[in-house]
């Protein structure tokens, strides 16, 4: 069954139109057209594939998120390829590898229900790995020399944009604050070019919240300070907010928000063993056996193997959940 509420053609066109303003001004017209066409083609293809996917059961929000991720990376890596000075005949094959990688990883991770920040980090890792691998393959086959490979490998438009954004934010913080209190919905200028970095981030959060279920929004809003929460709520009340915040600005803000998120804790077997040992410290074995009596055999093996300094082979994420459950039960 097709995904209801997901007009992939219109969505791809919208992403493309909003990204036009971000194409480097120093590019020639054919280069600018390549970036725009690449973003449109890959986002439309991804959207169509998701729309017709009858097995993954993605909803419209998930399909739009995956399509937008592909559009973002199609933009950044096509810019990188142009700046790399690689022969144009290699651009499309490299972009196809990157788009396929993103699509497959995004589908798998969304189906697994992974947190969004982890999905974005994983995709970024594999995009960079695929890009560098494709360039190294060209060198190995004798199509380019060492110098061109090194030049191409250094290109990273997303990192350049992040650096520019950080510099702009640092400069803004040194200036007197121009916006006091929560912005009003009828003041759209605050969501445009002259906005402070903080206002842009709050507007981006509001844009995301407009697409989320109300109960989830309220849970997250409770974690904001009251003034910022009120600002987000007022922006959410703007029916045309999406048209006032360009996709480029949204992507910039999402990337910075993602960068500032706490890194996920590494779930290595050794750390889980130490965690279980600490959790069960001071508990006699008989008492522990009684406590674990209702649990499945794998849970018992995980715990008692940890007491011996060994890790019972289960998925680290599952093992960490078990360790946390036992910690809460003690």
């Amino acid at each position: 069954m097709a995904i209801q509420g997901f007009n992939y053609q219109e969505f791809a066109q919208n992403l493309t139109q909003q990204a036009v303003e971000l194409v480097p001004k120093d590019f020639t017209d054919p280069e600018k057209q390549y970036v725009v066409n690449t973003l449109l083609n890959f986002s439309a293809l991804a959207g169509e594939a998701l729309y017709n996917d009858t097995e993954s059961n993605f909803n419209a929000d998930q399909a739009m998120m995956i399509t937008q991720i592909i559009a973002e990376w199609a933009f950044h890596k096509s810019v990188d390829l142009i700046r790399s000075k690689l022969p144009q005949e290699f651009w499309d094959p490299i972009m196809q590898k990157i788009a396929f990688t993103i699509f497959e990883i995004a589908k798998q991770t969304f189906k697994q229900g992974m947190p969004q920040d982890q999905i974005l980090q994983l995709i970024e890792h594999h995009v960079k790995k695929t890009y560098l691998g494709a360039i190294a393959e060209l060198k190995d086959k004798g199509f380019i020399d060492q110098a061109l490979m090194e030049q191409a490998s250094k290109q990273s438009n997303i990192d350049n944009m992040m650096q520019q954004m950080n510099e702009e934010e640092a400069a803004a913080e040194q200036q007197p604050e121009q916006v006091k209190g929560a912005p009003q919905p009828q003041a759209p200028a605050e969501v445009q070019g002259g906005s402070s970095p903080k206002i842009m981030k709050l507007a981006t959060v509001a844009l995301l919240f407009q697409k989320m279920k109300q109960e989830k929004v309220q849970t997250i809003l409770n974690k904001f300070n009251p003034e910022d929460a009120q600002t987000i709520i007022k922006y959410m009340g703007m029916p045309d907010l999406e048209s006032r915040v360009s996709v480029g600005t949204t992507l910039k803000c999402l990337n910075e928000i993602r960068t500032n998120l706490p890194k996920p804790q590494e779930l290595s077997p050794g750390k889980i063993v130490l965690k279980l040992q600490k959790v069960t410290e001071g508990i006699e074995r008989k008492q522990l056996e009684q406590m674990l009596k209702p649990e499945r055999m794998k849970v018992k093996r995980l715990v008692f193997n940890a007491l011996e300094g060994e890790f019972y082979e289960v998925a680290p994420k599952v093992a960490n959940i078990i360790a946390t459950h036992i910690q809460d039960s003690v």
Side-chain angles (χ1 to χ4, degrees), residues 55-98:
E55 297 180 358
S56 299
N57 295 319
F58 291 130
N59 58 36
D61 289 341
Q62 291 170 320
M64 284 192 286
M65 186 63 185
I66 294 173
T67 304
Q68 186 162 329
I69 291 170
I70 289 177
E72 175 186 358
W73 281 110
F75 176 86
H76 289 305
K77 299 319 288 183
S78 58
V79 170
D80 289 345
L81 285 169
I82 292 171
R83 293 204 185 282
S84 73
K85 303 304 179 184
L86 289 172
Q88 188 168 352
E89 63 190 279
F90 300 125
W91 295 356
D92 282 350
I94 291 175
M95 286 305 309
Q96 288 165 7
K97 290 180 180 179
I98 290 171

Side-chain angles (χ1 to χ4, degrees), residues 112-315:
Q112 292 169 9
M114 286 180 61
Q116 184 173 309
D117 62 316
Q118 292 184 22
I119 293 175
L120 294 176
Q121 289 173 3
L122 188 63
I123 288 174
E124 181 173 0
H125 168 75
H126 282 280
V127 166
K128 292 181 177 180
K129 181 179 178 181
T130 301
Y131 176 73
L132 294 175
I135 295 170
E137 185 179 356
L138 293 177
K139 165 64 171 56
D140 293 341
K141 292 182 176 180
F143 293 124
I144 61 174
D145 58 21
Q146 180 72 24
L148 188 52
M149 182 188 76
E150 292 178 359
Q151 176 177 311
S153 299
K154 292 176 182 177
Q155 304 303 318
S156 182
N157 187 64
I158 190 171
D159 290 337
N160 294 338
M161 288 183 67
M162 285 298 301
Q163 182 179 351
Q164 180 182 354
M165 184 175 172
N166 290 335
E167 290 172 355
E168 290 174 354
E169 181 171 0
E173 289 175 351
Q174 293 175 1
Q175 298 175 356
E177 186 177 358
Q178 297 179 355
V179 182
K180 298 293 183 181
Q184 300 299 317
Q186 56 267 37
E190 293 180 353
V191 201
Q192 296 176 345
S195 304
S196 72
K198 181 176 180 180
I199 291 296
M200 293 310 309
K201 288 177 190 173
L202 294 179
T204 299
V205 171
L207 189 61
L208 293 175
F209 281 1
Q210 284 182 341
K211 303 178 183 297
M212 293 174 59
K213 292 182 179 179
Q214 189 60 41
E215 58 268 22
K216 290 185 178 180
V217 170
Q218 190 57 54
T219 300
I220 301 173
L221 274 176
N222 291 337
K223 298 180 182 180
F224 284 82
N225 69 51
E227 183 179 345
D228 288 348
Q230 188 62 29
T231 300
I232 293 170
I233 291 171
K234 289 188 176 183
Y235 275 134
M236 287 175 65
M238 295 176 63
D240 58 346
L241 178 62
E242 187 169 357
S243 65
R244 300 186 185 278
V245 183
S246 72
V247 66
T249 300
T250 302
L251 294 175
K252 280 185 181 181
C253 291
L254 286 175
N255 275 322
E256 179 161 342
I257 292 169
R258 177 192 65 184
T259 301
N260 292 325
L261 285 170
K263 300 295 183 184
Q265 184 180 6
E266 183 183 355
L267 300 177
S268 67
K271 287 186 177 181
I272 293 173
V273 167
L274 290 175
K275 181 176 181 178
L276 283 167
Q277 289 178 341
K278 186 175 182 180
V279 167
T280 56
E281 187 177 4
I283 303 177
E284 295 184 359
R285 189 177 181 92
K286 287 186 177 180
Q287 182 183 351
L288 190 58
E289 288 176 349
Q290 185 64 30
M291 187 175 72
L292 295 176
K293 192 173 182 180
E295 302 291 347
R296 290 171 294 175
M297 183 57 66
K298 286 186 177 181
V299 174
K300 297 176 183 177
R301 287 179 179 173
L302 176 68
V303 175
F304 289 116
N305 278 22
L307 296 180
E308 303 297 327
E310 298 178 356
F311 181 72
Y312 181 69
E313 291 299 330
V314 298

